[in-house]
PDB file of all heavy atoms in Angstrom:
ATOM      1  N   ASN A 269      62.575  37.073  58.640  1.00 94.00           N
ATOM      2  CA  ASN A 269      63.317  38.325  58.275  1.00 94.00           C
ATOM      3  C   ASN A 269      63.808  38.225  56.738  1.00 94.00           C
ATOM      4  O   ASN A 269      64.824  38.617  56.363  1.00 94.00           O
ATOM      5  CB  ASN A 269      64.453  38.685  59.039  1.00 94.00           C
ATOM      6  CG  ASN A 269      64.039  39.334  60.385  1.00 94.00           C
ATOM      7  OD1 ASN A 269      62.957  39.094  60.767  1.00 94.00           O
ATOM      8  ND2 ASN A 269      64.950  40.019  61.034  1.00 94.00           N
ATOM      9  N   GLY A 270      62.974  37.630  55.820  1.00 93.00           N
ATOM     10  CA  GLY A 270      63.277  37.399  54.493  1.00 93.00           C
ATOM     11  C   GLY A 270      64.186  36.274  54.112  1.00 93.00           C
ATOM     12  O   GLY A 270      64.337  35.976  52.970  1.00 93.00           O
ATOM     13  N   PHE A 271      64.485  35.446  55.110  1.00 92.00           N
ATOM     14  CA  PHE A 271      65.208  34.250  54.807  1.00 92.00           C
ATOM     15  C   PHE A 271      64.269  33.336  54.041  1.00 92.00           C
ATOM     16  O   PHE A 271      63.141  33.130  54.347  1.00 92.00           O
ATOM     17  CB  PHE A 271      65.688  33.576  56.112  1.00 92.00           C
ATOM     18  CG  PHE A 271      66.260  32.113  55.951  1.00 92.00           C
ATOM     19  CD1 PHE A 271      67.090  31.800  54.940  1.00 92.00           C
ATOM     20  CD2 PHE A 271      65.951  31.148  56.850  1.00 92.00           C
ATOM     21  CE1 PHE A 271      67.559  30.548  54.753  1.00 92.00           C
ATOM     22  CE2 PHE A 271      66.404  29.935  56.811  1.00 92.00           C
ATOM     23  CZ  PHE A 271      67.297  29.551  55.537  1.00 92.00           C
ATOM     24  N   ASN A 272      64.724  32.819  52.836  1.00 92.00           N
ATOM     25  CA  ASN A 272      63.962  31.977  52.020  1.00 92.00           C
ATOM     26  C   ASN A 272      62.683  32.701  51.595  1.00 92.00           C
ATOM     27  O   ASN A 272      61.628  32.306  51.195  1.00 92.00           O
ATOM     28  CB  ASN A 272      63.556  30.654  52.653  1.00 92.00           C
ATOM     29  CG  ASN A 272      63.254  29.527  51.683  1.00 92.00           C
ATOM     30  OD1 ASN A 272      63.835  29.477  50.556  1.00 92.00           O
ATOM     31  ND2 ASN A 272      62.420  28.719  52.056  1.00 92.00           N
ATOM     32  N   TRP A 273      62.794  34.134  51.404  1.00 94.00           N
ATOM     33  CA  TRP A 273      61.727  35.080  51.044  1.00 94.00           C
ATOM     34  C   TRP A 273      60.503  35.109  51.801  1.00 94.00           C
ATOM     35  O   TRP A 273      59.464  35.517  51.561  1.00 94.00           O
ATOM     36  CB  TRP A 273      61.260  34.624  49.513  1.00 94.00           C
ATOM     37  CG  TRP A 273      62.322  34.542  48.534  1.00 94.00           C
ATOM     38  CD1 TRP A 273      63.471  35.189  48.350  1.00 94.00           C
ATOM     39  CD2 TRP A 273      62.262  33.578  47.453  1.00 94.00           C
ATOM     40  NE1 TRP A 273      64.140  34.737  47.402  1.00 94.00           N
ATOM     41  CE2 TRP A 273      63.451  33.898  46.684  1.00 94.00           C
ATOM     42  CE3 TRP A 273      61.327  32.650  46.941  1.00 94.00           C
ATOM     43  CZ2 TRP A 273      63.917  33.174  45.492  1.00 94.00           C
ATOM     44  CZ3 TRP A 273      61.765  31.880  45.764  1.00 94.00           C
ATOM     45  CH2 TRP A 273      63.064  32.223  45.056  1.00 94.00           C
ATOM     46  N   ASN A 274      60.736  34.567  53.137  1.00 96.00           N
ATOM     47  CA  ASN A 274      59.612  34.517  54.073  1.00 96.00           C
ATOM     48  C   ASN A 274      59.630  35.403  55.247  1.00 96.00           C
ATOM     49  O   ASN A 274      60.842  35.907  55.556  1.00 96.00           O
ATOM     50  CB  ASN A 274      59.473  33.017  54.449  1.00 96.00           C
ATOM     51  CG  ASN A 274      58.012  32.628  54.560  1.00 96.00           C
ATOM     52  OD1 ASN A 274      57.110  33.389  54.907  1.00 96.00           O
ATOM     53  ND2 ASN A 274      57.671  31.264  54.177  1.00 96.00           N
ATOM     54  N   TYR A 275      58.517  35.426  55.914  1.00 97.00           N
ATOM     55  CA  TYR A 275      58.502  36.345  57.151  1.00 97.00           C
ATOM     56  C   TYR A 275      57.721  35.687  58.331  1.00 97.00           C
ATOM     57  O   TYR A 275      56.781  36.311  58.876  1.00 97.00           O
ATOM     58  CB  TYR A 275      57.890  37.766  56.700  1.00 97.00           C
ATOM     59  CG  TYR A 275      58.942  38.608  56.105  1.00 97.00           C
ATOM     60  CD1 TYR A 275      59.151  38.431  54.814  1.00 97.00           C
ATOM     61  CD2 TYR A 275      59.784  39.538  56.974  1.00 97.00           C
ATOM     62  CE1 TYR A 275      60.315  39.320  54.207  1.00 97.00           C
ATOM     63  CE2 TYR A 275      60.782  40.319  56.346  1.00 97.00           C
ATOM     64  CZ  TYR A 275      60.953  40.191  54.973  1.00 97.00           C
ATOM     65  OH  TYR A 275      61.934  40.943  54.418  1.00 97.00           O
ATOM     66  N   GLY A 276      57.951  34.399  58.651  1.00 97.00           N
ATOM     67  CA  GLY A 276      57.468  33.820  59.768  1.00 97.00           C
ATOM     68  C   GLY A 276      58.270  34.352  61.051  1.00 97.00           C
ATOM     69  O   GLY A 276      59.116  35.197  60.824  1.00 97.00           O
ATOM     70  N   ASN A 277      57.858  33.827  62.279  1.00 97.00           N
ATOM     71  CA  ASN A 277      58.464  34.278  63.406  1.00 97.00           C
ATOM     72  C   ASN A 277      58.579  33.327  64.388  1.00 97.00           C
ATOM     73  O   ASN A 277      57.597  32.547  64.720  1.00 97.00           O
ATOM     74  CB  ASN A 277      57.621  35.597  63.854  1.00 97.00           C
ATOM     75  CG  ASN A 277      58.432  36.319  64.911  1.00 97.00           C
ATOM     76  OD1 ASN A 277      58.267  36.284  66.155  1.00 97.00           O
ATOM     77  ND2 ASN A 277      59.439  37.047  64.513  1.00 97.00           N
ATOM     78  N   ASN A 278      59.764  33.253  65.135  1.00 97.00           N
ATOM     79  CA  ASN A 278      59.981  32.302  66.235  1.00 97.00           C
ATOM     80  C   ASN A 278      60.240  32.936  67.585  1.00 97.00           C
ATOM     81  O   ASN A 278      60.461  32.284  68.511  1.00 97.00           O
ATOM     82  CB  ASN A 278      61.194  31.453  65.895  1.00 97.00           C
ATOM     83  CG  ASN A 278      61.102  30.670  64.572  1.00 97.00           C
ATOM     84  OD1 ASN A 278      60.137  30.064  64.333  1.00 97.00           O
ATOM     85  ND2 ASN A 278      62.102  30.820  63.774  1.00 97.00           N
ATOM     86  N   PHE A 279      60.122  34.271  67.687  1.00 95.00           N
ATOM     87  CA  PHE A 279      60.479  35.020  68.801  1.00 95.00           C
ATOM     88  C   PHE A 279      59.576  34.541  70.078  1.00 95.00           C
ATOM     89  O   PHE A 279      58.349  34.279  69.823  1.00 95.00           O
ATOM     90  CB  PHE A 279      60.173  36.560  68.506  1.00 95.00           C
ATOM     91  CG  PHE A 279      60.764  37.494  69.598  1.00 95.00           C
ATOM     92  CD1 PHE A 279      62.149  37.681  69.464  1.00 95.00           C
ATOM     93  CD2 PHE A 279      60.089  38.002  70.543  1.00 95.00           C
ATOM     94  CE1 PHE A 279      62.709  38.457  70.465  1.00 95.00           C
ATOM     95  CE2 PHE A 279      60.614  38.854  71.485  1.00 95.00           C
ATOM     96  CZ  PHE A 279      61.945  39.076  71.423  1.00 95.00           C
ATOM     97  N   PRO A 280      60.149  34.475  71.130  1.00 95.00           N
ATOM     98  CA  PRO A 280      61.475  34.942  71.580  1.00 95.00           C
ATOM     99  C   PRO A 280      62.485  33.841  71.496  1.00 95.00           C
ATOM    100  O   PRO A 280      63.705  33.984  71.918  1.00 95.00           O
ATOM    101  CB  PRO A 280      61.283  35.219  73.108  1.00 95.00           C
ATOM    102  CG  PRO A 280      60.406  34.211  73.551  1.00 95.00           C
ATOM    103  CD  PRO A 280      59.411  34.031  72.431  1.00 95.00           C
ATOM    104  N   LEU A 281      62.297  32.779  70.869  1.00 97.00           N
ATOM    105  CA  LEU A 281      63.238  31.545  70.558  1.00 97.00           C
ATOM    106  C   LEU A 281      64.274  32.065  69.734  1.00 97.00           C
ATOM    107  O   LEU A 281      64.043  32.898  68.782  1.00 97.00           O
ATOM    108  CB  LEU A 281      62.617  30.251  70.141  1.00 97.00           C
ATOM    109  CG  LEU A 281      61.512  29.673  70.930  1.00 97.00           C
ATOM    110  CD1 LEU A 281      60.941  28.410  70.317  1.00 97.00           C
ATOM    111  CD2 LEU A 281      62.070  29.408  72.308  1.00 97.00           C
ATOM    112  N   ARG A 282      65.456  31.547  69.847  1.00 96.00           N
ATOM    113  CA  ARG A 282      66.637  31.981  69.079  1.00 96.00           C
ATOM    114  C   ARG A 282      66.663  31.216  67.698  1.00 96.00           C
ATOM    115  O   ARG A 282      66.297  30.022  67.654  1.00 96.00           O
ATOM    116  CB  ARG A 282      67.824  31.654  69.847  1.00 96.00           C
ATOM    117  CG  ARG A 282      69.225  32.142  69.142  1.00 96.00           C
ATOM    118  CD  ARG A 282      70.321  31.836  70.140  1.00 96.00           C
ATOM    119  NE  ARG A 282      71.610  32.495  69.583  1.00 96.00           N
ATOM    120  CZ  ARG A 282      72.789  32.511  70.197  1.00 96.00           C
ATOM    121  NH1 ARG A 282      72.978  31.912  71.375  1.00 96.00           N
ATOM    122  NH2 ARG A 282      73.783  33.026  69.626  1.00 96.00           N
ATOM    123  N   GLY A 283      67.081  31.910  66.618  1.00 96.00           N
ATOM    124  CA  GLY A 283      67.312  31.193  65.352  1.00 96.00           C
ATOM    125  C   GLY A 283      66.169  31.233  64.416  1.00 96.00           C
ATOM    126  O   GLY A 283      65.096  31.666  64.507  1.00 96.00           O
ATOM    127  N   ALA A 284      66.379  30.258  63.313  1.00 96.00           N
ATOM    128  CA  ALA A 284      65.390  30.255  62.301  1.00 96.00           C
ATOM    129  C   ALA A 284      65.468  28.871  61.617  1.00 96.00           C
ATOM    130  O   ALA A 284      66.226  27.918  62.177  1.00 96.00           O
ATOM    131  CB  ALA A 284      65.844  31.271  61.271  1.00 96.00           C
ATOM    132  N   LYS A 285      64.567  28.614  60.762  1.00 97.00           N
ATOM    133  CA  LYS A 285      64.559  27.373  59.948  1.00 97.00           C
ATOM    134  C   LYS A 285      65.978  27.068  59.551  1.00 97.00           C
ATOM    135  O   LYS A 285      66.776  27.941  59.284  1.00 97.00           O
ATOM    136  CB  LYS A 285      63.689  27.635  58.738  1.00 97.00           C
ATOM    137  CG  LYS A 285      63.755  26.435  57.724  1.00 97.00           C
ATOM    138  CD  LYS A 285      62.902  26.831  56.523  1.00 97.00           C
ATOM    139  CE  LYS A 285      63.041  25.588  55.525  1.00 97.00           C
ATOM    140  NZ  LYS A 285      62.133  25.876  54.286  1.00 97.00           N
ATOM    141  N   SER A 286      66.294  25.927  59.426  1.00 96.00           N
ATOM    142  CA  SER A 286      67.567  25.364  58.998  1.00 96.00           C
ATOM    143  C   SER A 286      68.700  25.373  60.128  1.00 96.00           C
ATOM    144  O   SER A 286      69.810  24.707  59.941  1.00 96.00           O
ATOM    145  CB  SER A 286      68.163  26.085  57.690  1.00 96.00           C
ATOM    146  OG  SER A 286      67.311  25.978  56.628  1.00 96.00           O
ATOM    147  N   THR A 287      68.342  25.980  61.258  1.00 96.00           N
ATOM    148  CA  THR A 287      69.276  26.046  62.405  1.00 96.00           C
ATOM    149  C   THR A 287      68.814  25.034  63.329  1.00 96.00           C
ATOM    150  O   THR A 287      67.677  24.573  63.379  1.00 96.00           O
ATOM    151  CB  THR A 287      69.417  27.381  62.932  1.00 96.00           C
ATOM    152  OG1 THR A 287      68.235  27.605  63.718  1.00 96.00           O
ATOM    153  CG2 THR A 287      69.540  28.453  61.937  1.00 96.00           C
ATOM    154  N   LEU A 288      69.755  24.639  64.181  1.00 98.00           N
ATOM    155  CA  LEU A 288      69.507  23.759  65.316  1.00 98.00           C
ATOM    156  C   LEU A 288      69.266  24.547  66.719  1.00 98.00           C
ATOM    157  O   LEU A 288      69.065  23.929  67.712  1.00 98.00           O
ATOM    158  CB  LEU A 288      70.496  22.806  65.585  1.00 98.00           C
ATOM    159  CG  LEU A 288      70.712  21.732  64.420  1.00 98.00           C
ATOM    160  CD1 LEU A 288      71.977  20.805  64.574  1.00 98.00           C
ATOM    161  CD2 LEU A 288      69.502  20.825  64.332  1.00 98.00           C
ATOM    162  N   TRP A 289      69.070  25.831  66.536  1.00 97.00           N
ATOM    163  CA  TRP A 289      68.641  26.635  67.686  1.00 97.00           C
ATOM    164  C   TRP A 289      67.150  26.386  67.933  1.00 97.00           C
ATOM    165  O   TRP A 289      66.556  25.797  67.107  1.00 97.00           O
ATOM    166  CB  TRP A 289      68.839  28.185  67.351  1.00 97.00           C
ATOM    167  CG  TRP A 289      70.131  28.671  67.088  1.00 97.00           C
ATOM    168  CD1 TRP A 289      70.872  28.918  65.950  1.00 97.00           C
ATOM    169  CD2 TRP A 289      71.262  28.738  68.124  1.00 97.00           C
ATOM    170  NE1 TRP A 289      72.086  29.275  66.184  1.00 97.00           N
ATOM    171  CE2 TRP A 289      72.426  29.147  67.502  1.00 97.00           C
ATOM    172  CE3 TRP A 289      71.251  28.552  69.613  1.00 97.00           C
ATOM    173  CZ2 TRP A 289      73.646  29.367  68.235  1.00 97.00           C
ATOM    174  CZ3 TRP A 289      72.517  28.801  70.173  1.00 97.00           C
ATOM    175  CH2 TRP A 289      73.604  29.213  69.562  1.00 97.00           C
ATOM    176  N   GLU A 290      66.696  26.702  69.052  1.00 98.00           N
ATOM    177  CA  GLU A 290      65.342  26.339  69.520  1.00 98.00           C
ATOM    178  C   GLU A 290      64.311  26.796  68.467  1.00 98.00           C
ATOM    179  O   GLU A 290      63.350  26.171  68.229  1.00 98.00           O
ATOM    180  CB  GLU A 290      64.947  26.935  70.843  1.00 98.00           C
ATOM    181  CG  GLU A 290      65.757  26.329  72.021  1.00 98.00           C
ATOM    182  CD  GLU A 290      65.341  24.828  72.288  1.00 98.00           C
ATOM    183  OE1 GLU A 290      64.398  24.612  72.842  1.00 98.00           O
ATOM    184  OE2 GLU A 290      66.197  23.984  71.742  1.00 98.00           O
ATOM    185  N   GLY A 291      64.549  28.089  67.882  1.00 98.00           N
ATOM    186  CA  GLY A 291      63.636  28.569  66.857  1.00 98.00           C
ATOM    187  C   GLY A 291      63.632  27.788  65.520  1.00 98.00           C
ATOM    188  O   GLY A 291      62.714  27.899  64.811  1.00 98.00           O
ATOM    189  N   GLY A 292      64.578  26.973  65.324  1.00 98.00           N
ATOM    190  CA  GLY A 292      64.620  26.015  64.111  1.00 98.00           C
ATOM    191  C   GLY A 292      63.973  24.597  64.395  1.00 98.00           C
ATOM    192  O   GLY A 292      63.482  24.134  63.452  1.00 98.00           O
ATOM    193  N   VAL A 293      64.036  24.144  65.588  1.00 98.00           N
ATOM    194  CA  VAL A 293      63.625  22.867  65.860  1.00 98.00           C
ATOM    195  C   VAL A 293      62.543  22.653  66.943  1.00 98.00           C
ATOM    196  O   VAL A 293      62.073  21.522  67.076  1.00 98.00           O
ATOM    197  CB  VAL A 293      64.826  21.898  66.221  1.00 98.00           C
ATOM    198  CG1 VAL A 293      65.784  21.831  64.958  1.00 98.00           C
ATOM    199  CG2 VAL A 293      65.563  22.490  67.396  1.00 98.00           C
ATOM    200  N   ARG A 294      62.262  23.608  67.788  1.00 98.00           N
ATOM    201  CA  ARG A 294      61.184  23.532  68.702  1.00 98.00           C
ATOM    202  C   ARG A 294      59.797  24.035  68.010  1.00 98.00           C
ATOM    203  O   ARG A 294      59.690  25.072  67.818  1.00 98.00           O
ATOM    204  CB  ARG A 294      61.491  24.362  69.963  1.00 98.00           C
ATOM    205  CG  ARG A 294      60.624  24.091  71.126  1.00 98.00           C
ATOM    206  CD  ARG A 294      61.195  24.693  72.378  1.00 98.00           C
ATOM    207  NE  ARG A 294      60.463  24.596  73.605  1.00 98.00           N
ATOM    208  CZ  ARG A 294      60.824  25.106  74.819  1.00 98.00           C
ATOM    209  NH1 ARG A 294      61.933  25.628  74.938  1.00 98.00           N
ATOM    210  NH2 ARG A 294      59.936  24.924  75.752  1.00 98.00           N
ATOM    211  N   ALA A 295      58.950  23.019  67.867  1.00 98.00           N
ATOM    212  CA  ALA A 295      57.817  23.304  66.964  1.00 98.00           C
ATOM    213  C   ALA A 295      56.645  23.589  67.729  1.00 98.00           C
ATOM    214  O   ALA A 295      56.377  23.179  68.876  1.00 98.00           O
ATOM    215  CB  ALA A 295      57.641  21.944  66.163  1.00 98.00           C
ATOM    216  N   ALA A 296      55.834  24.244  67.116  1.00 97.00           N
ATOM    217  CA  ALA A 296      54.329  24.509  67.492  1.00 97.00           C
ATOM    218  C   ALA A 296      53.641  23.168  67.325  1.00 97.00           C
ATOM    219  O   ALA A 296      53.530  22.757  66.159  1.00 97.00           O
ATOM    220  CB  ALA A 296      53.760  25.607  66.783  1.00 97.00           C
ATOM    221  N   GLY A 297      53.034  22.496  68.294  1.00 98.00           N
ATOM    222  CA  GLY A 297      52.397  21.277  68.151  1.00 98.00           C
ATOM    223  C   GLY A 297      51.409  20.998  69.350  1.00 98.00           C
ATOM    224  O   GLY A 297      51.493  21.580  70.434  1.00 98.00           O
TER     225      GLY A 297
END
């Protein structure tokens, strides 16, 4: 949503890069 000028997506996980919510640290791998 524009954080760091970017528009990636973690949905439905919560949060974003730089956070310790699942959306910040649970990775595609």
Side-chain angles (χ1 to χ4, degrees):
N269 285 23
F271 172 39
N272 205 30
W273 307 327
N274 217 326
Y275 279 86
N277 195 256
N278 303 309
F279 194 77
L281 299 182
R282 187 175 185 178
K285 171 185 177 176
S286 299
T287 76
L288 292 173
W289 298 108
E290 293 292 281
V293 293
R294 192 168 174 178

